[in-house]
Amino acid sequence: MGMVAELERRQSAMELHIINSIQQSLDNNQPLSFQALASLRSLIINPATPDSTLSSVLDALSRSLQLNRDPVFLHHALKLLRDLASHRPHLSPFALDLLRSDSLFSSASPRLVGESLSVLLSLASIGNDIDAARFVSLCLGPSVSVRQCLLRNAEKLVFRESVLLAVFLGFTRDPYPYVRKEALDGLVKLCKNGDFDDRDVIEGCYCRAVELLRDAENYVRSAAVRAVCEWGRLLVICSEDMNKQDSSDAVFIQLGCMVRDMSVDVRLEAFEALGKIGLVSEGILLQTLSKKVLGINKDKAFKPVEGLDISASAVAGAYIHGLEDEFSEVRMSACYSLRTLTVFSLRFACEALNLMMDMLNDDSTVVRLQALDTIHHMATSNHLKVEKIHIHRFLSALVDSSSVIRSMTRKILKLAKLPQFKLFKLCIDGLLGNLEIYPQDEADVFSALFHIGRNHGKFTVHIIEEVSPEMEPASGGKLSFDSTRVAAFLVLAISAPLSHEKDVSAIPPRIFSYAVTWLGRISYGLSDLMNQEKLLAYLSECSRSSTISLADFKINEALLTVESDAPIPLCSKVDSPVSMPFWKDSGGTSDYHHQEFLSLGKSAAHAEYELGEHSELRKYVNLIFKKVKDFWSLVELGCTTEAFKGIRACKEEVASFTADSPGSSGAVAFTLQYLQVIGMLAKVWGHLRPTKMLNPYGVGKLELLFAKLDRRLREISNRFIGLSKGEELQILDLVLVACLLRLSKMEICCCNAAMKLLLSTVAHVEYLHKEGSIELSNFVTEVKKSLHDADSSSSSSTCKPLLFKKLLDSFSLQQFVLYGTPRYIHAELAVPSNDSENPLPFIPGIPASIPLAITLHNVLTESRLWVRISMNEESTQFVFLDLNLIRNEKRSINVVREFTFVAPFYRTPKAISFTVRASLGLECFRENIDRVKVFGGPKCELTYLCPEKEIFLCKSTEC
Amino acid sequence: MAIDCLVLGAGQEVGKSCMVVSINGKRIMFDCGMHMGYTDSRRYPDFSLISKTGDFDNALTCVIVTHFHLDHIGALPYFTEVCGYKGPIYMTYPTKALAPLMLEDYRKNMDRRGEDEQFTSDHIAECMKKVIPVNLKQTVQVDKDLQIRAYYAGHVIGAAMFYAKVGDAAMVYTGDYNMTPDRHLGAAQIDRLQLDLLITESTYATTIRDSRYGREREFLKAVHNCVAAGGKVLIPTFALGRAQELCILLEDYWERMNLKVPIYFSAGLTIQANMYYKMLINWTSQKIKETYATHNAFDFKNVRNFDRSLINAPGPCVLFATPGMIVGGFSLEVFMQWAPSENNLVTLPGYCVAGTIGHKLMSGKPAKIDLDKDTQINVRCQIHQLSFSPHTDAKGIMDLVKFLSPKHAILVHGEKPKMATLKERIQSELGIQCYCPANNETVTIPSTHYVKADASGTFIRSCLNPNFKFSTCSSTDKSYLDSNKSKAVSRLSVSDDRATEGILVVEKGKKAKVIHQDEFLHRLGEKKHEIQFAYCFPMHMARTEDLSSTSHMLCSFDKCTLISRLSMILSDELSEGNILDLGEELQVESFRVSVCSSDNCPHRLSSSLQNGSESVFFCCHWSVADEKLAWKIISIMKNSTL
């Protein structure tokens, strides 16, 4: 102990000595020696130095800064300040103040300014910014490196958009190319985050970016491409409805000029940008696939901005060039951007398909895979028309040496709808060839055969008739079913009864019995559709039935249990080869780089890969979410109909998922729900946002839409448990948008309620934000900020539709990424043996008892459940369901509970018979009911867990 | 200063490329090719035009050869060894490596045809000793003033475009190039340079080719169908280039489709060429370069050597045999054996010289071919014509010219009528002056001339600091497509005038100097004068009670009211400019207007008031820069009533 005390004493004596000597030299107006600085540093980095000493160190430093302007000294002082700020966070404000002081920033040495800037940036949190005037004056200084550094970090330093815009736009004229690049990048960021509606500004920025497309430096040109894309999109949004198409075309052509650039980076950017321009007219799109200038485009010139005339011929053959580019990343990017454009025109899709088929011959596996992915995308958006010339090339991919390619090809085949028997036969032959060369593909080939057979009932029957001799047991009664080929035909045959075509003639029942001998292998292949038991049941059912009974109701019923039936031939297998990790492929070591390089997957997809446990379903679902994000950008552009089409297709696709594995049902239900919410949101958005368009819907209709939207939102935020905070935040984003949409429309707004919800949601967001330390989206930050501003400016929360409208501009849909497996809260409600023939008895005026058989899924014990029984709108009654009191009849914790609950119905009318409607509702804690309270009912809004059940009651005859 | 281009070959024709360019006192010969169509003196460029005396060493600074094709290099040994040029010769490493092979091959064939020998084996070796090899993008200082640099050109392995710069004049000679990649070579690649002149080939001046995938697909389909049916495929090719491209294509397809059919190379040049290719990986396409670490694309897995005993071996196979066009040699030998079976396939290159068997096959499939008096071949096999070409198409030429945007362009290496069409397009669409000279003609184009000047300290300091201005007023802007139409545009634009603030001063006997405009007046000892316009005129006024009848009685309050009314009128009618209300005065840019209270205002043209009580005089001042704006405002004021 004595030693320690002694040491401490000695140390403090030393500290005192150092400080004193420094003070002394300062008092004599002597600058600090380097030795003194070194001893100061030792004090600073010693964690035992007390704060009091450090503040005198700070004092000394600030005094010496005033004394000495020698750059070398300043450089050391700067380092000391940085150390101080990083070692002692609570002293950092003082250190930062010193850093910002004139002595460093007004120094003549640009190196010092640059250093102090980088120290500031590394330490300062947002808000500790240097003010705009200082920022501008530093920018205008002669040092180029400081200028570049300032521009790169401008967003962090200054908040005012007008200042940033002026600075960025101005520096696009700088003679130093790196400054120009930073300025352009700044403009891009500004355009993404900012809110501009001044057409002059937009045009100015756009034109400047277009000028820089001809810059001498590659990196400036690629930055310019990004800027043209972003500001061009803004230009499209702000142009009048009549000119929207033209200006969109013009921006597309402008970008198309860059695909022949000599720099790979510029070409990559150009193709990425082309894919982002949503609305492009067919003529222009077709021109990109032809190097010769098409007739319709011969003299077509566009003038998006006065003085920027551009002719359609400039875009000639853009995709031809892109697809035969030397660099595989450019080819991939071209394939990918084609994918988004094929949605708009069937003709374009057909021509693009031609090229895609050629791409199947590419020497890079990744490019081939991307091409197949694009084809698959066309198939899901119903823009795939396979012709005979294509089919050969396409089927050759079935014997490709890469298993990913083969599996992707089969995936597309599963979706195909072929018009002719010939083509069908070719496909079957292709699959058989695949099976022959690569026996390891058996399971998936079977699955493909099954799907394809089911999509083409008549052709299947036809082909089975042709090959049936092959399938018969060889003479002598010995079964020779050991050929895989026969098995393949059997799989094809058994798919026929499931065909959606009406008049499919029969497959001989004995075929089904043959198939039973292959049960194991077949059921392995069809595991995505049905399990072995169901398959066996199905096969035996079919083999027993005579020809007529095949089309019988009973069969169909059996099938319905077999799978959730897809109404269109759009049934995809859950595992998607799209998301198969590319780098597992042996040949593509370099391609892996490209994959990363090309930001196709973006961050979400990567996060998805990094996840330890790969759930196939989740991957697929996340792909859907990615699509949804694409669709939303269409909504923003005003193409609501197209977006709907896409969302609907997604819904159908999701609906066709089977939810066999535990937990998957939650994900599927969640995705469906999410799609529905987005759909509703898009509908409302489409009617509210473009103010120039006349509202086709009246206020009443809109009110209905809002009600629906609210219900959907309530469901998605309350009926799922097990969502992460990040996921929850994303949903809250949507709730906020809905609130804002409502608030931005004066006519339908019940201001108080919406405002209340908005505030409570924001509060919840903040809570989650603090809890989970998750970064908030830009949009939420905006909302918070403006709410805060509104609060401070006027205490009364008045309606400011304009403000809310402005806020909505900052909204952009983020891609939802599902990490966990959400559980879906739902319930089943039944009244045993009750229908209109067998009503429950009651005595008028006396409460009637209604026995309800209730099954709850995933309902937590602490949640508040209500049984809602209503006869008509006026007489609705709520009965509380206390889960703690309910004896769990079937023991399974928290997941499924089944029990009977006798609910009383009090207000029985004086009538002979009546019906009531019952349903189960879950109380949502965040939404208070604002209307007149129902006596004894729930305090908050309910989310209903099951469809309403109609219950029949009849006056008891016994009394 | 001017650049003189003397065309010695490939002017309005294809063959014997040779161009002598005089640029700022330096003379460079680009390419030194021979014409394959002639056997007389027309075969070589007319070197006497360079120097009457034959003293080529002093007449030329250097010779640059773009690639190893004979129409670009064929006359080189003749020029150096027979004509006696001893100066430096530049070419890329692969060209230097492969050129002797080509020249030797040609010489042997010449021997065989019994022509008189133009140069010997020793000549070739001696000539190659004079060659200085260069790398891509390596800047070579030929002498004090002349810099040259090679850029990748595609076309064949080692082909390059050459950039040459003397002082301030710069130019690019493309040689042959390809703007789209093929299976083994990349696309041409060049920086965006400031050029006075671009000399480009124009083999396909009007053709627009579609995607190469189509061509590849057709070829693979034909070959695959043939071998699948058990047939034999004969691919007569030239040893370098096409053979490797097709072989990579087949190899890749074989790999992908798991085909086991053997591919053979006939011995000879091709094997040797493959060896060179394996070493010159750096000059191939991106894909091959990338995979090189794991697998050399020219290490053909499925390829074996062929020997004669295999000609009639059973089973399918693919055979690459030299020479192309089936002029003789091994390809003819095999053709004679395989042609009679309809299972077999012969692929022909895109172009066959008239008189060869290839040409006969191409022009309608004959049933029988008479080889000579005694031999007759039955042709029953299938014929597939390849349409691969290593030259860029018209769109590629346009793309390159557009990308480089030189001040002038010269077209060579093409057919005259097609070149004329392309020339028109370049001039009308890109606004670039273009020429297509014939052989032995000289084109003179002006080049950029720079003056060296000192700069004053103030000017340099003002240049260091950014000095950008925003304006929304009218400015002229050239459209992106150079449509030659300048238009008045009104929009937000930004300009940085640091350089234009300088003034070039040339004093007698002193070096030219750039000084800042502020210094200029000081130096001259003069004051700055500005031209101001002034105009005083009456404006109609609506009769109102509170305004007094005569103008001189207007008190300052009324003046303010009038001005603010005027401001309202102007802001309604005027689209541009910023209207500032300064109380008794109104300002739009430099235009100022105020109520004139003096009866004898010197700016008044007519002092009589028509309806005295209803008008009031306004006095305007503006500077010359805003004249248009001023008259616009005045006309608005005259046409409206206060």
Side-chain angles (χ1 to χ4, degrees), chain A residues 888-952:
Chain A
N888 216 348
E889 286 172 10
K890 271 191 189 171
R891 257 188 200 285
S892 55
I893 308 145
N894 266 350
V895 181
V896 187
R897 305 159 197 253
E898 271 183 63
F899 55 88
T900 316
F901 176 75
V902 181
F905 183 72
Y906 296 103
R907 270 165 278 173
T908 44
K910 291 204 168 77
I912 292 176
S913 70
F914 70 102
T915 58
V916 291
R917 300 177 156 275
S919 65
L920 263 179
L922 179 74
E923 212 167 327
C924 321
F925 286 104
R926 259 176 295 114
E927 287 183 65
N928 291 324
I929 291 181
D930 57 315
R931 52 167 189 245
V932 192
K933 257 205 200 130
V934 187
F935 174 73
K939 289 195 182 104
C940 303
E941 286 281 5
L942 289 184
T943 307
Y944 292 98
L945 303 182
C946 61
E948 278 189 335
K949 176 85 191 160
E950 200 166 35
I951 301 164
F952 302 89

Side-chain angles (χ1 to χ4, degrees), chain B residues 4-49:
Chain B
D4 291 326
C5 309
L6 169 62
V7 184
L8 288 182
Q12 303 179 353
E13 62 165 2
V14 178
K16 61 163 175 180
S17 287
C18 188
M19 179 86 136
V20 177
V21 180
S22 310
I23 170 170
N24 274 356
K26 303 286 164 193
R27 281 186 109 189
I28 310 164
M29 179 193 277
F30 289 102
D31 281 341
C32 190
M34 68 173 8
H35 203 296
M36 307 297 283
Y38 299 110
T39 46
D40 53 9
S41 65
R42 284 175 296 172
R43 154 165 57 188
Y44 293 131
D46 186 359
F47 294 120
S48 65
L49 291 175

Side-chain angles (χ1 to χ4, degrees), chain B residues 138-438:
Chain B
Q138 171 197 3
T139 306
V140 177
Q141 201 80 39
V142 175
D143 61 18
K144 196 165 101 291
D145 301 316
L146 173 62
Q147 280 183 353
I148 59 168
R149 199 184 304 149
Y151 286 99
Y152 194 75
H155 189 61
V156 287
I157 198 154
M161 312 188 193
F162 274 90
Y163 167 74
K165 184 179 179 219
V166 184
D168 307 311
M171 59 160 299
V172 162
Y173 177 83
T174 64
D176 294 351
Y177 62 100
N178 193 359
M179 289 289 279
T180 49
D182 61 30
R183 286 276 167 166
H184 74 308
L185 295 176
Q189 206 274 329
I190 195 166
D191 295 329
R192 180 161 264 170
L193 302 157
Q194 290 271 349
L195 297 180
D196 295 301
L197 173 64
L198 172 72
I199 303 174
T200 171
E201 67 133 321
S202 49
T203 321
Y204 292 102
T206 51
T207 317
I208 292 181
R209 273 204 303 268
D210 34 321
S211 156
R212 76 181 153 92
Y213 289 101
R215 305 194 286 273
E216 289 183 359
R217 190 207 318 140
E218 294 301 318
F219 171 71
L220 291 175
K221 197 171 147 193
V223 172
H224 194 165
N225 287 346
C226 175
V227 294
K232 293 180 162 64
V233 183
L234 172 66
I235 309 179
T237 59
F238 200 64
L240 285 168
R242 187 56 33 73
Q244 281 77 17
E245 186 190 351
L246 294 179
C247 200
I248 287 181
L249 183 60
L250 283 181
E251 174 92 1
D252 186 56
Y253 189 74
W254 252 233
E255 199 72 0
R256 212 148 24 89
M257 295 295 144
N258 253 323
L259 294 179
K260 297 284 179 258
V261 178
I263 303 175
Y264 295 111
F265 261 18
S266 73
L269 194 50
T270 322
I271 301 289
Q272 202 178 353
N274 271 351
M275 192 188 71
Y276 276 107
Y277 268 84
K278 262 187 241 177
M279 293 188 294
L280 298 170
I281 288 297
N282 223 6
W283 295 76
T284 54
S285 74
Q286 191 62 24
K287 164 83 183 172
I288 293 178
K289 275 189 264 181
E290 274 168 3
T291 50
Y292 168 62
T294 48
H295 168 67
N296 189 329
F298 297 101
D299 260 337
F300 299 112
K301 263 188 229 161
N302 298 303
V303 174
R304 290 155 222 180
N305 279 339
F306 195 72
D307 80 67
R308 282 205 167 67
S309 63
L310 289 167
I311 292 182
N312 287 317
C317 70
V318 178
L319 171 68
F320 286 86
T322 50
M325 309 184 202
I326 326 185
V327 279
F330 194 62
S331 53
L332 179 63
E333 194 182 329
V334 178
F335 178 73
M336 278 158 58
Q337 301 280 341
W338 289 2
S341 161
E342 56 261 21
N343 272 342
N344 296 343
L345 170 77
V346 175
T347 66
L348 295 171
Y351 175 73
C352 291
V353 176
T356 58
I357 294 183
H359 189 258
K360 281 180 201 156
L361 290 174
M362 251 163 63
S363 44
K365 191 178 157 188
K368 278 177 184 148
I369 289 182
D370 298 318
L371 199 60
D372 49 46
K373 271 174 271 162
D374 313 321
T375 341
Q376 199 177 46
I377 311 171
N378 283 324
V379 182
R380 286 204 209 89
C381 65
Q382 309 154 50
I383 308 286
H384 178 81
Q385 198 182 340
L386 295 170
S387 49
F388 292 75
S389 169
H391 289 275
T392 178
D393 64 352
K395 183 154 191 306
I397 300 173
M398 289 298 281
D399 286 336
L400 182 80
V401 176
K402 189 174 165 190
F403 181 78
L404 287 174
S405 300
K407 295 199 181 75
H408 303 269
I410 294 181
L411 303 180
V412 291
H413 201 282
E415 292 159 42
K416 191 179 174 185
K418 292 181 179 170
M419 285 162 94
T421 318
L422 184 64
K423 176 184 153 185
E424 276 314 305
R425 272 189 74 194
I426 291 177
Q427 290 187 341
S428 63
E429 285 178 33
L430 305 175
I432 292 168
Q433 192 62 41
C434 188
Y435 313 85
C436 29

Side-chain angles (χ1 to χ4, degrees), chain A residues 703 706 710 713-714 732 734-763 783 787 797-801 804 926-931 941:
Chain A
E703 185 64 65
F706 264 117
D710 284 351
L713 277 171
R714 209 175 294 136
L732 287 176
L734 300 180
V735 177
L736 282 181
V737 175
C739 287
L740 288 176
L741 279 172
R742 200 181 255 276
L743 283 168
S744 69
K745 190 75 180 169
M746 279 299 245
E747 299 94 301
I748 53 150
C749 171
C750 36
C751 207
N752 281 331
M755 203 60 196
K756 240 183 183 169
L757 182 58
L758 184 68
L759 288 174
S760 75
T761 314
V762 168
V783 172
L787 277 183
S797 55
T798 43
C799 266
K800 297 183 211 75
F804 298 123
R926 259 176 295 114
E927 287 183 65
N928 291 324
I929 291 181
D930 57 315
R931 52 167 189 245
E941 286 281 5

